[in-house]
Amino acid sequence: MAKRPKRQSTTRPRIKTARTNPRGRSTRSRRGPDSPAGHTLLSNRIIFELYRAGTALSIGELVKLLSARDLPEPIIEHELRLLVRLDRVEHSRKNRFSLAKKSDLLEGVVVMNPAGFGFATGLKSISGARLPDKDLYLSRTHLATARHGDRVLLRIIYGGPRRRDEAEIVGIFERMQKTLVGYYHQQGDHGVAEPEDPRFPASIHLNVSGQNFVGELRDGDAVIVALDTAESETAQLRGHIVEILGDPQRLEVQIRMVVEKHRLIQSFSPEAQAEAEQVVADPGAANREDLREILHVTIDGADAKDFDDAVAVEKLRNGYRLYVSIADVSAYVRAGSCLDREAYERGTSVYFPTTVIPMLPENISNNLCSLLPHQDRLTVTAILDFNHAGKLFKKRFVRSIIHSHNRFTYQTVKQIVVDQDKEVRNKFKPFLKALQWAAELATILHQVRVARGSITLTIPEPDIQLDAELRVAAVERMQRSFANQIVEEFMLAANEAVARTFAERDFDTLYRIHEEPDPDKIKDFISVAETLALKLPMGATTSRWYNQLLHQVQGTAREQIVNNLLLRTMQQARYQHDNTGHFGLGAEFYTHFTSPIRRYPDLIVHRLLCRMIIAGSSRKDKAGKAGPYRSLQEAGLHLSDRERLAITAERDLADRLKCQFMQQRLGERFQAVVSSITDSLFFVDLVEQLISGAVLLSSLTDDYYIHDWRKHRLIGDISGRIIQIGDLVEVVAVEVEADRGRIFFTLEGNSAKELSSKTKHHK
């Protein structure tokens, strides 16, 4: 059995640096009522119990709540008097105690860093106090016994105009992580599980007595451990094994590990499953506009299982008519039903190689709501008329019934409209005109979108290919063609038209917003851009500013790194009730309408759009709040979180598979681009495989390298050789820490020498 690789030391080597004033957090001591010295462990416990009670308590009631601590009443009373003097607690005439009305306490969730510190996110205040602009920093000494994911009560202890706010944990409301995935190891007469998630750095001591599967365990097996719920004065983790997953090299085991790590919801309840099986196949088709004669087709990847959207294009005398028909999931999933609540909780489908964790059960996602070829299906259709210049001059939305006349793949459409493959074109003669019109319209829409300022970032995606035994055979760039762009342009046009219609008619909806970039991140990028000798455009950092930079590096070795650096300057797109526009698309109004099978926000938009179609008026519709959420604002927050979680989980598995791939390629050479530099290492992105890794400076034996942080480069102390961000280098894979998702390279023997020719240029 393949063993989990031993963790190697990556101790940061001592190296010289050109930095004269190292930047970092001040370590000077700060004292006072808000410092750790001002709050003992007991005072925090008292404040926590008062907060949880939500009402005034007597000393006797507090003693009872703290009885598990074996604390005498005089000690508790002394601490209470101190808290009263500090204006943290109020003392009533009835000898009862409550928290001060101007409490600075916040609720939050702990997000740990593998280095041992953490942050408090998702901050809430019941007192109405202003929340910090950024997540609160939690140092090791202020974490108490909190773990990653715990819901906690916090107090801000440091802060100011020049310092990031820090906090200490007052108490723990709930241990959110009930189970952990770990690697089993036998230690003497007992076992331990080393957590697979580096945010849980301590080994889990296992209680294996009475467990009948102990004999099946092998050293290095992945296991699921249920953590003990008993409170402890220390952060030591204890638990017992509830499931043996087995060899962590197997794909199905890796998928389970990712699912458990990110707490993804895998199965539907029996009630939700029953609702999905009992759905009526044709609910109300008579009240729909019949578009079955329109030449709708689906265009998707070869391995697609569900089909949200079908498109059709007709040529008009003065332009084009585009039909974007989307599966009407709202006709099958009743708002507020058990099935609806579980779909909302998931928020989105999660896609892994060989499998998917769907938002909706298979009978709906892959059957009734999937626009299968040669089947009648219920849809919501956007009918959009564009002139020859790509201007939308008429739009209409209908509840419809369509018939998909063919299922095309991207590859087939490329062969028809790009390659002009005669054999393929002869096979699909009835569709040639419509596909040609689609290509013409997509080209025009793309030109219009770019001209108005839509950012043309090109971020390639990895294509992880598996062999017959489900092992990683190759990691390559996902191949994209003009056929992909046809579908994307049509979906963007439909989403934008729907959003604009909601705004024009003053109907409530859920918008997809993308805010302007973070100014601080823009400054960081400009610093790197100057190093890369990029010509910075004049004026404000608008979307056109981005496109001018992207045009400079298009087709060069630095295209990928500049695209990635610019992407990091941007905010994350999210869902919100109030529209603020979409910066990246240069769109004043935007929403998600085109994927209700796999995205719950689209299902919300469908319900609201159908309501607007039926109402046929311009009154403001407050009924949009109906569903398993209290408001559209709440729904936007929840669904944005679920989207980020799904993306994180998908990337997590991809990174694991990349590590497995590189484990089989140790000693091989790869072309790479230097993407960032630190005092002890620099990172590289492989050009062909879309894999990132690090080169430790301690592995470079040809010279002693100095970090010039101002110019984002390393300089050989003796030779003057330069390793610059953006340089194309040749690297050799030397080590993989699969359990931590880290890949290490070193420069190929003569790569450093080849860089010497660049010294003059960079100087």
Side-chain angles (χ1 to χ4, degrees):
M1 187 195 85
K3 296 287 176 49
R4 186 171 61 86
K6 294 182 180 179
R7 190 177 305 169
Q8 300 295 321
S9 172
T10 57
T11 304
R12 174 171 164 166
R14 284 189 61 201
I15 59 175
K16 289 190 271 185
T17 173
R19 184 182 300 166
T20 55
N21 292 304
R23 295 172 294 178
R25 180 178 302 279
S26 170
T27 57
R28 67 185 178 89
S29 175
R30 284 167 281 185
R31 295 273 180 175
D34 290 336
S35 73
H39 289 282
T40 65
L41 191 60
L42 175 56
S43 68
N44 277 345
R45 291 173 183 164
I46 291 171
I47 289 172
F48 184 61
E49 295 300 343
L50 289 172
Y51 185 94
R52 275 206 297 194
T55 186
L57 300 175
S58 67
I59 292 180
E61 289 169 330
L62 275 169
V63 169
K64 187 176 181 180
L65 288 170
L66 297 168
S67 60
R69 315 292 184 184
D70 297 324
L71 296 169
E73 184 172 323
I75 294 178
I76 295 175
E77 184 173 1
H78 172 78
E79 201 69 28
L80 274 168
R81 304 296 179 190
L82 175 62
L83 289 171
V84 170
R85 289 198 299 273
L86 292 171
D87 293 326
R88 293 289 180 190
V89 170
E90 294 179 352
H91 185 198
S92 72
R93 292 181 180 179
K94 296 181 180 180
N95 204 28
R96 300 180 73 82
F97 297 86
S98 61
L99 287 180
K101 291 183 176 61
K102 293 184 178 180
S103 172
D104 59 354
L105 299 174
L106 302 173
E107 295 181 26
V109 175
V110 175
V111 175
M112 289 297 297
N113 183 286
F117 59 87
F119 295 91
T121 67
L123 301 173
K124 299 176 184 177
S125 171
I126 62 169
S127 65
R130 188 182 69 83
L131 298 176
D133 295 332
K134 296 183 178 180
D135 297 336
L136 294 172
Y137 175 75
L138 297 166
S139 68
R140 270 180 207 268
T141 55
H142 298 143
L143 280 166
T145 63
R147 308 168 188 159
H148 174 74
D150 286 354
R151 193 167 63 86
V152 297
L153 184 65
L154 306 136
R155 178 192 299 110
I156 297 177
I157 53 175
Y158 301 147
R162 295 188 178 181
R163 290 195 182 94
R164 179 168 188 159
D165 287 335
E166 300 185 22
E168 71 170 335
I169 291 177
V170 176
I172 300 170
F173 290 113
E174 186 179 5
R175 297 284 193 188
M176 300 301 291
Q177 199 79 30
K178 305 297 192 298
T179 61
L180 276 179
V181 175
Y183 301 103
Y184 174 77
H185 296 291
Q186 185 69 28
Q187 288 190 355
D189 58 353
H190 71 282
V192 298
E194 183 181 338
E196 183 268 343
D197 188 340
R199 295 170 298 188
F200 293 86
S203 297
I204 308 169
H205 285 241
L206 299 174
N207 177 11
V208 295
S209 61
Q211 294 192 281
N212 56 14
F213 51 64
V214 172
E216 303 171 16
L217 276 170
R218 293 176 295 179
D219 195 73
D221 272 357
V223 295
I224 299 178
V225 178
L227 299 176
D228 288 353
T229 56
E231 282 299 321
S232 171
E233 295 292 335
T234 70
Q236 177 63 63
L237 298 178
R238 297 182 180 276
H240 61 278
I241 296 172
V242 293
E243 186 177 352
I244 302 172
L245 300 180
D247 182 0
Q249 292 295 317
R250 289 162 45 205
L251 176 61
E252 62 269 28
V253 173
Q254 285 293 328
I255 291 174
R256 277 295 307 279
M257 291 167 76
V258 170
V259 167
E260 293 293 329
K261 175 180 176 179
H262 299 286
R263 292 186 288 171
L264 300 178
I265 307 169
Q266 271 195 294
S267 58
F268 293 93
S269 69
E271 294 80 6
Q273 195 69 51
E275 283 183 15
E277 295 299 327
Q278 294 165 10
V279 165
V280 178
D282 189 13
N287 298 321
R288 294 173 176 266
E289 188 161 332
D290 191 343
L291 300 178
R292 284 176 287 189
E293 295 303 314
I294 302 298
L295 199 64
H296 279 91
V297 298
T298 61
I299 307 174
D300 295 276
D303 57 350
K305 298 293 190 297
D306 54 59
F307 309 101
D308 290 286
D309 54 88
V311 297
V313 178
E314 296 175 341
K315 192 74 173 283
L316 305 177
R317 186 176 60 182
N318 57 343
Y320 302 86
R321 174 165 292 166
L322 168 65
Y323 296 84
V324 177
S325 293
I326 307 300
D328 189 2
V329 178
S330 66
Y332 298 93
V333 180
R334 181 172 50 85
S337 64
C338 179
L339 180 58
D340 188 43
R341 291 195 302 273
E342 293 194 21
Y344 174 74
E345 183 60 30
R346 284 168 169 76
T348 181
S349 297
V350 185
Y351 292 87
F352 297 131
T354 73
T355 190
V356 60
I357 301 177
M359 185 183 81
L360 293 164
E362 186 175 356
N363 186 44
I364 291 178
S365 60
N366 286 6
N367 182 18
L368 296 177
C369 290
S370 187
L371 306 184
L372 299 170
H374 315 301
Q375 300 285 332
D376 292 350
R377 286 291 185 263
L378 304 186
T379 52
V380 179
T381 301
I383 305 174
L384 310 175
D385 290 353
F386 297 90
N387 64 20
H388 290 293
K391 181 179 180 180
L392 179 66
F393 64 86
K394 184 179 178 181
K395 60 183 186 292
R396 190 163 67 94
F397 305 96
V398 296
R399 299 170 72 236
S400 54
I401 179 170
I402 72 161
H403 183 94
S404 175
H405 292 261
N406 198 72
R407 189 234 161 167
F408 283 102
T409 65
Y410 294 127
Q411 177 62 20
T412 304
V413 173
K414 175 180 177 292
Q415 291 172 327
I416 292 172
V417 300
V418 179
D419 301 336
Q420 298 288 308
D421 187 304
K422 289 184 180 180
E423 184 178 345
V424 177
R425 288 174 67 86
N426 286 334
K427 184 178 178 181
F428 295 104
K429 278 186 178 180
F431 302 96
L432 295 184
K433 280 188 178 180
L435 290 175
Q436 184 58 43
W437 295 334
E440 292 172 7
L441 178 58
T443 301
I444 295 169
L445 293 178
H446 178 72
Q447 291 170 348
V448 170
R449 188 164 58 82
V450 173
R452 79 180 183 197
S454 183
I455 298 175
T456 57
L457 278 173
T458 54
I459 306 297
E461 297 179 22
D463 180 14
I464 299 176
Q465 300 175 8
L466 306 175
D467 61 19
E469 297 180 2
L470 299 182
R471 294 176 302 192
V472 184
V475 179
E476 300 175 349
R477 285 173 176 264
M478 184 79 72
Q479 295 300 313
R480 293 177 55 81
S481 69
F482 180 59
N484 298 76
Q485 188 177 319
I486 291 174
V487 176
E488 288 177 6
E489 294 299 337
F490 292 169
M491 297 305 111
L492 290 171
N495 285 335
E496 190 173 342
V498 169
R500 183 175 291 277
T501 301
F502 275 112
E504 290 171 346
R505 298 195 186 182
D506 201 21
F507 267 68
D508 283 338
T509 194
L510 197 62
Y511 291 95
R512 177 73 166 178
I513 69 163
H514 185 218
E515 293 152 306
E516 292 189 355
D518 185 329
D520 290 337
K521 291 183 178 179
I522 290 289
K523 290 179 182 177
D524 292 341
F525 170 79
I526 289 174
S527 171
V528 179
E530 291 170 347
T531 298
L532 294 172
L534 293 177
K535 184 179 179 181
L536 291 170
M538 300 294 290
T541 52
T542 63
S543 53
R544 288 185 175 85
W545 183 89
Y546 276 76
N547 281 341
Q548 289 180 50
L549 285 167
L550 293 169
H551 181 71
Q552 288 184 46
V553 296
Q554 188 174 1
T556 71
R558 295 180 177 182
E559 180 177 12
Q560 182 175 328
I561 183 175
V562 171
N563 273 265
N564 286 329
L565 289 170
L566 284 172
L567 180 65
R568 291 172 198 165
T569 68
M570 295 187 188
Q571 310 268 21
Q572 283 187 313
R574 57 191 177 92
Y575 299 104
Q576 182 173 285
H577 173 230
D578 298 320
N579 177 54
T580 57
H582 197 293
F583 176 81
L585 293 173
E588 186 179 359
F589 306 99
Y590 195 70
T591 191
H592 272 169
F593 156 75
T594 54
S595 295
I597 288 177
R598 62 183 181 89
R599 290 191 308 226
Y600 195 89
D602 304 56
L603 179 53
I604 290 177
V605 170
H606 270 237
R607 286 175 178 153
L608 299 176
L609 183 60
C610 287
R611 192 168 294 154
M612 185 169 62
I613 292 169
I614 294 169
S617 70
S618 60
R619 63 181 177 80
K620 191 169 181 66
D621 183 7
K622 291 294 183 184
K625 296 178 183 178
Y629 45 86
R630 288 174 291 187
S631 67
L632 286 172
Q633 181 181 5
E634 177 190 88
L637 291 170
H638 168 72
L639 295 171
S640 296
D641 286 343
R642 297 306 299 179
E643 177 190 46
R644 285 191 288 271
L645 178 64
I647 292 172
T648 301
E650 290 168 357
R651 287 177 179 169
D652 187 352
L653 184 62
D655 289 343
R656 293 162 185 261
L657 297 181
K658 289 176 183 179
C659 283
Q660 287 190 1
F661 175 76
M662 292 306 300
Q663 281 178 320
Q664 310 305 317
R665 302 295 186 276
L666 295 180
E668 293 187 18
R669 300 176 182 179
F670 301 90
Q671 290 291 311
V673 176
V674 178
S675 58
S676 62
I677 297 173
T678 74
D679 286 350
S680 59
L681 53 82
F682 62 91
F683 291 94
V684 295
D685 297 335
L686 302 192
V687 173
E688 296 299 328
Q689 291 76 18
L690 297 181
I691 292 174
S692 298
V695 176
L696 294 172
L697 298 192
S698 58
S699 73
L700 305 182
T701 57
D702 65 310
D703 206 337
Y704 186 79
Y705 285 88
I706 301 168
H707 181 203
D708 181 356
W709 65 274
R710 292 185 184 278
K711 294 186 177 181
H712 306 279
R713 62 183 182 176
L714 297 165
I715 304 174
D717 193 27
I718 300 172
S719 65
R721 296 166 184 160
I722 288 177
I723 300 173
Q724 175 84 59
I725 189 170
D727 275 349
L728 185 64
V729 296
E730 191 171 49
V731 295
V732 178
V734 293
E735 185 183 354
V736 176
E737 291 184 4
D739 59 331
R740 291 296 181 260
R742 297 191 289 205
I743 301 169
F744 294 98
F745 300 93
T746 191
L747 287 180
E748 194 276 333
N750 61 2
S751 290
K753 295 177 183 177
E754 291 171 358
L755 287 169
S756 62
S757 63
K758 300 181 181 180
T759 303
K760 278 188 177 181
H761 170 72
H762 288 306
K763 283 184 177 179

